[in-house]
């Protein structure tokens, strides 16, 4: 069946073939032929789960819990299950997934293929570090069991492999004890970017989750904002119940709300509201884990052209050089940045993983020619400073820039070629970034 | 309550299984592919802590219960587009009518649904003339009716109107329709 798919940033839109198997024998009978790509919830910022002439295989019906071992703290699930469903299941049992990106509709398949992060990256690392084993189906190779002991290379390539090694069918994931059902959350105001980086580095030592919301649309005080810092609140009762979130993909017809005139005002109101009460207050765990719930229409506010999210891993030792250059760039181009956030990171670069010792700096900006010129200049600055752009976020990232920023770029391509020489698994993303070596 | 669900691995059957599991009922799930049944047995057992097993019928115990048949609105009048399916569903309906008669007076309730469109693999990718029910909505309605002496009913109910019109369309018109 034909479906029109759009990336979350509304940047890339294609009419594609779509299939949604719901039985194992349908998976197992797939033959190598037309290009395929796995699809979870389809809420990625970039066109990673579809592409022109590619059949997307929706994995949403494979969403069952296969095993739970509370004593050894692991769960085995089919890859189409959502974070929200796992949260609902685990909370009452005093357990949780150690790493969770910001929306309950995101699936485990998407978390593995994107090797995503949460708000505690500086402690727990990336999602992939908690995957103990997985089952992968590839029409050429059949059903394969992968783990650090078995098919090691392919296991490594599938985590953060953008779905290009095949369909992730199920996975065993390590769990953490649920620290508490609610968090004590403070909003610590910061006056500029330098203070934001410094304060974030300081607060991460004493908090379980930290990130910053900053305002780069404010021309007189760019970078003003606040740090959200959360610690467990053991006194809180486990909140049971279902998580309801709105669909992220059905674009509403609201008129374009964000532009250079409105954004400074909207952001100022948002910041004022965010800093009205700074002291610790109790917030349900799901509200802090999934802050985008209830704000789903944000993604429509950029209108039809959509937006670009650029997420940059700035190494610790490059922060001092990065701040003045990014500020000068925003001033020079005069584009209003809608959203600016900051997270703390740890880790070592590997293949195409978005990680490293430093900070993740993210901006969302309306997709127009001025913004594209600014981001192209920022690409150069990043390359110079050794910063890397998140592949799963930025729809305009070019293969040349990706190659300069990721030392594992060539190795990834080479390994993929060995496993899938016919490029059976292909997406708009893999084509744009030229991830298929020939 | 013990319930056997034939065709439990997908679509409406799977939604009914889930809905009953949420209410704590013991389940026996049957379908032709063991892998799907294994996965569903694991899932429902873990999530709802119920007694659930799959594939084999031998644990079914006599005594009260429900026998629920899935028919189709397509059997309301024979049409060229799906003759075998419609005929089979008509036969099934008659079989269920007989079962209901046979079971009258016992503690077993026999119910039969003439189902309209449902959003499952059967209708996936098709352009439908009328709105399709979500499997979960169908399951909800069916589970609510368990224990009632219903006979054969439409789900959703408004298919009654559509099938009545189709049934009474005069032949000179009907024969020209490609439905
Ligand atoms: C509101 C919001 C907040 C977010 N917050 C964060 C965050 O804090 N940190 C972060 O890192 N990311 C974040 N993300 C991004 C998100 O985590 C990733 O884009 C994730 O991959 C989306 O999962 P999905 O199920 O929608 O996958 P899709 O978008 O459907 O697919 C993503 C990739 O995974 C592959 N894939 C999915 N399922 C399978 C499968 N079963 N088998 C093989 N391949 C598969 C696809 O081929 C594709 O390459 C956020 C996204 C949103 C919308
Ligand atoms: N979907 C609609 O729009 C619609 C409309 C009117 C009526 N109906 C009726 O509603 C019922 C459910 O439909 P659905 O859409 O949910 O179908 P579905 O998604 O195709 O599911 C059918 C289920 O039956 C199982 N099954 C098939 N053949 C079997 C066999 N020989 N022995 C045991 N199990 C078997 C299947 O598993 P395996 O394949 O693994 O066996 C699967 O679990 C059917 O009776 C259908 O005719 C559906």
């Amino acid at each position: 069946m034909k479906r029109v798919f759009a990336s979350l940033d509304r940047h890339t839109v294609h009419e594609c073939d779509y299939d949604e198997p719901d039985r194992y024998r349908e998976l197992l009978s797939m033959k190598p032929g037309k290009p395929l790509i796995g699809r979870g919830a389809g809420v990625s910022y970039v066109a990673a789960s579809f592409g022109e002439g590619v059949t997307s295989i929706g994995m949403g019906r494979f969403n069952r819990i296969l095993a739970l071992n509370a004593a050894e703290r692991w769960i085995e699930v089919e890859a189409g299950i959502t974070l929200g469903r796992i949260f609902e299941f685990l909370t009452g049992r005093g357990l949780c997934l150690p790493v969770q990106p910001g929306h309950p509709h995101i699936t485990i398949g998407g978390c593995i293929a994107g090797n995503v992060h949460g708000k505690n990256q500086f402690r727990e690392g990336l999602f992939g570090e908690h995957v103990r084993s997985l089952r992968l189906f590839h029409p050429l190779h059949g059903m394969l069991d992968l783990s650090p002991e078995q098919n090691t290379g392919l296991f490594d390539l599938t985590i953060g492999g953008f779905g290009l090694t095949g369909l992730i069918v199920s996975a065993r994931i390590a769990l953490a004890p649920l620290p508490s059902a609610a968090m004590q959350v403070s909003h610590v105001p910061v006056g500029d970017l330098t203070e934001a980086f410094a304060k974030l580095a300081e607060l991460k030592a004493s908090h379980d989750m930290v990130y910053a919301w900053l305002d780069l649309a404010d021309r007189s005080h760019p970078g003003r904002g606040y740090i959200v810092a959360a610690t467990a609140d053991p006194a809180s009762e486990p909140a049971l119940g279902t998580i309801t979130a709105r669909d992220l993909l059905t674009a509403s017809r609201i008129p374009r709300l964000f532009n250079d005139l409105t954004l400074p005002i909207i952001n100022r109101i948002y910041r004022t509201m965010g800093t009205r009460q700074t002291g610790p207050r109790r917030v349900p765990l799901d509200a802090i884990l999934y802050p985008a719930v209830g704000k789903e229409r944000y993604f429509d506010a950029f209108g039809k052209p959509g937006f670009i999210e650029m997420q940059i891993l700035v190494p610790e030792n490059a922060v001092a050089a990065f701040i003045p250059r990014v500020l000068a760039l925003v001033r020079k181009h005069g584009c209003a940045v809608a959203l600016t956030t900051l997270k703390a990171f740890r880790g070592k670069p590997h293949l195409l993983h978005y990680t490293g010792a430093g900070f993740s700096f993210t901006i969302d900006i309306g997709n127009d020619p001025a913004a594209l010129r600014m981001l192209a200049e920022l690409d150069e600055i990043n390359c110079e400073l050794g910063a890397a752009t998140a592949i799963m976020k930025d729809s305009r990232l070019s293969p040349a820039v990706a190659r300069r920023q990721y030392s594992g770029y060539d190795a990834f391509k080479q390994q993929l070629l060995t496993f899938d020489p016919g490029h059976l698994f292909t997406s708009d993303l893999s084509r744009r970034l030229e991830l298929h070596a020939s | 309550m013990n319930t056997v669900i034939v065709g439990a691995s997908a679509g409406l059957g799977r939604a009914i299984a889930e809905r009953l599991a949420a209410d704590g009922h013991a389940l026996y799930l049957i379908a032709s592919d063991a892998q799907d049944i294994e996965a569903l047995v694991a899932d429902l057992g873990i999530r709802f802590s119920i007694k659930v097993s799959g594939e084999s019928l031998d644990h079914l115990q006599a005594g009260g219960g429900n026998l629920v048949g899935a028919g189709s609105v397509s059997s309301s009048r024979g049409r060229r587009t799906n003759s075998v399916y419609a005929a089979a569903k008509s036969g099934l309906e008659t079989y269920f009518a007989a079962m209901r008669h046979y079971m009258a007076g016992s503690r077993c309730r026999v119910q039969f649904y003439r189902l309209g469109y449902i959003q499952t693999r059967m209708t996936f990718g098709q352009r439908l003339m009328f709105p399709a029910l979500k499997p979960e909505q169908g399951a909800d309605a069916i589970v609510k009716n368990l224990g009632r002496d219903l006979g054969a009913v439409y789900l959703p109910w408004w298919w009654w109107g559509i099938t009545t019109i189709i049934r009474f369309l005069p032949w000179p018109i009907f024969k020209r329709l490609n439905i």
Side-chain angles (χ1 to χ4, degrees):
Chain A
M1 117 190 238
K2 292 272 182 210
R3 285 265 294 263
V4 176
F5 288 135
S7 50
L8 184 74
D9 63 11
R10 311 327 191 214
H11 176 280
T12 315
V13 181
H14 287 304
E15 194 187 48
C16 308
D17 283 314
Y18 179 62
D19 198 10
E20 201 178 272
D22 67 356
R23 276 155 250 196
Y24 275 92
R25 65 165 171 262
E26 288 184 81
L27 282 186
L28 295 170
S29 61
M30 281 184 186
K31 298 271 174 297
K34 276 181 55 181
L36 306 171
I37 191 73
R39 183 172 166 93
V43 301
S44 291
Y45 287 78
V46 296
S49 65
F50 61 93
E52 218 173 340
V54 176
T55 303
S56 295
I57 307 292
M59 295 296 288
R61 302 276 178 177
F62 290 86
N63 64 346
R64 290 161 287 210
I65 298 172
L66 301 177
L68 170 75
N69 189 327
E72 291 176 17
R73 292 215 196 105
W74 54 259
I75 190 168
E76 191 165 323
V77 291
E78 289 176 323
I81 194 169
T82 61
L83 296 180
R85 192 159 159 146
I86 296 183
F87 181 90
E88 286 164 5
F89 172 70
L90 288 178
T91 307
R93 292 167 172 83
L95 294 165
C96 64
L97 288 172
V99 171
Q100 301 198 55
H103 201 273
H105 290 172
I106 294 169
T107 68
I108 291 297
C111 289
I112 296 173
N115 201 7
V116 298
H117 57 263
K119 291 161 196 66
N120 52 358
Q121 208 285 337
F122 58 96
R123 291 210 173 156
E124 300 293 342
L126 297 174
F127 192 89
E129 293 170 39
H130 306 276
V131 179
R132 297 226 178 132
S133 63
L134 54 87
R135 299 195 89 191
L136 181 78
F137 178 76
H138 188 293
L140 266 187
H141 306 278
M143 194 74 96
L144 299 169
D145 287 311
L146 319 179
S147 73
E149 292 82 40
Q150 201 179 358
N151 292 312
T152 322
L154 192 55
F155 180 69
D156 193 40
L157 195 62
T158 299
I159 290 173
F162 312 114
L164 300 174
T165 56
L167 298 172
I168 301 165
V169 179
S170 61
R172 184 176 290 193
I173 301 155
L175 299 174
L178 184 77
S180 59
M183 304 290 278
Q184 285 292 339
V185 179
S186 310
H187 286 185
V188 183
V190 289
D192 58 34
L193 277 190
T194 309
E195 192 187 345
F197 277 89
K199 200 87 198 154
L200 193 78
E202 177 195 319
L203 289 171
K204 75 175 187 187
S206 50
H207 290 80
D208 299 319
M209 294 180 203
V210 284
Y211 68 95
W213 183 91
L214 306 170
D215 183 6
L216 277 184
D218 184 330
R219 300 231 156 78
S220 49
H221 301 92
R224 218 162 30 160
Y226 56 90
I227 314 245
V228 181
T231 46
D233 178 1
S236 55
E237 289 289 311
L240 296 172
T242 49
I243 295 180
T244 40
R246 262 174 293 180
D247 186 4
L248 284 158
L249 294 174
T250 34
S252 60
R253 305 232 174 273
I254 61 167
R256 179 170 182 166
L257 185 63
F258 290 166
N259 60 45
D260 292 352
L261 290 177
T262 56
L263 269 172
I265 303 166
I266 294 170
N267 276 4
R268 177 175 291 245
I269 296 170
Y270 192 81
R271 181 174 49 79
T272 311
M273 279 167 38
T275 47
R276 231 181 5 206
Q277 196 192 346
T278 56
R281 70 203 153 90
R282 184 180 282 183
V283 176
L285 182 58
D286 55 312
I288 178 108
L289 281 175
Y290 314 124
V293 170
K295 302 187 186 112
E296 285 86 356
R297 294 288 72 86
Y298 163 82
F299 302 101
D300 293 324
F302 296 88
K304 200 152 181 265
F307 66 101
I308 301 288
E309 175 157 313
M310 190 181 198
Q311 189 164 59
I312 311 157
L313 204 305
V314 187
E316 227 140 14
N317 57 15
V319 170
F322 178 79
I323 294 173
R325 295 190 70 174
V326 81
L327 287 175
L329 201 64
V330 171
R331 210 174 313 120
K332 172 177 154 196
H333 288 271
C335 318
V337 178
L339 175 86
T340 308
T341 61
L342 196 59
K343 290 178 181 175
F345 263 58
R346 67 152 173 85
K348 275 210 282 298
H350 180 61
L351 296 177
L352 299 178
H353 298 179
Y354 181 72
T355 189
F359 296 87
S360 174
F361 177 85
T362 306
I363 53 177
D364 283 7
I365 187 163
N367 174 22
D368 59 44
L372 294 179
R373 280 195 297 275
M374 177 178 119
L375 296 177
E377 278 187 48
L378 192 48
D379 277 339
E380 282 308 312
I381 296 176
N382 293 337
C383 289
E384 251 178 69
L385 296 180
T389 312
I391 289 173
M392 280 297 274
K393 299 289 160 73
D394 188 338
S395 280
R396 46 132 240 123
L397 188 66
S398 70
V401 172
R403 188 156 188 268
R404 284 165 73 192
Q405 295 184 348
Y406 287 89
S407 55
Y409 177 87
D410 289 329
F412 182 90
K413 260 170 95 152
Q414 201 48 49
Q415 288 176 32
L416 190 61
L417 179 69
T418 315
F419 179 66
D420 185 17
H423 314 152
L424 185 57
F425 286 86
T426 299
S427 64
D428 185 83
L429 170 86
S430 72
R431 285 184 184 146
R432 172 169 49 80
L433 290 178
E434 297 173 2
L435 295 178
H436 304 290
S438 45
Chain B
M1 185 172 68
N2 294 330
T3 309
V4 177
I5 304 174
V6 181
S9 69
L12 184 64
R14 181 170 160 189
I16 291 177
E18 222 177 299
R19 179 67 178 63
L20 284 171
D23 289 349
H25 298 296
L27 299 178
Y28 298 89
L29 311 177
I30 296 166
S32 61
D33 192 335
Q35 292 182 86
D36 297 317
I37 286 296
E38 264 169 39
L40 193 63
V41 163
D43 181 62
L44 299 181
I46 293 170
R47 282 200 295 143
F48 302 108
S49 312
I50 53 159
K51 226 175 92 188
V52 49
S53 58
E55 264 195 307
S56 81
L57 263 167
D58 26 304
H59 296 112
L60 178 59
Q61 286 172 3
N66 295 279
L67 201 57
V68 182
S72 165
V73 293
S74 66
S75 62
S76 59
R77 184 166 185 178
R79 288 168 295 119
R80 61 171 82 93
T81 44
N82 61 354
S83 47
V84 176
Y85 181 76
K89 289 298 190 190
S90 277
L92 191 66
E93 180 164 348
T94 309
Y95 176 74
F96 265 76
M99 287 294 280
R100 185 178 178 215
H101 198 194
Y102 179 80
M103 292 287 189
S106 83
R107 283 170 50 225
C108 185
R109 294 280 161 266
V110 180
Q111 305 170 337
F112 189 80
Y113 287 93
R114 297 173 186 139
L115 298 166
Y117 298 138
I118 311 173
Q119 295 170 27
T120 69
R121 203 65 179 147
M122 265 181 73
T123 54
F124 181 82
Q126 289 181 25
R127 287 178 57 183
L128 305 173
M129 268 185 299
F130 299 100
L133 216 57
K134 288 204 172 76
E136 294 77 15
Q137 293 172 315
D140 242 357
I142 290 171
V143 171
K144 273 204 192 96
N145 281 335
L146 289 178
R148 289 178 58 194
D149 191 17
L150 266 192
V153 292
Y154 288 94
L155 183 64
W157 63 269
W158 44 260
W159 274 96
W160 171 84
I162 297 161
T163 53
T164 305
I165 293 169
I166 293 174
R167 232 186 350 260
F168 289 106
L169 273 181
W171 174 246
I173 301 175
F174 184 72
K175 70 177 185 189
R176 269 173 239 193
L177 296 181
N178 232 342
I179 53 173

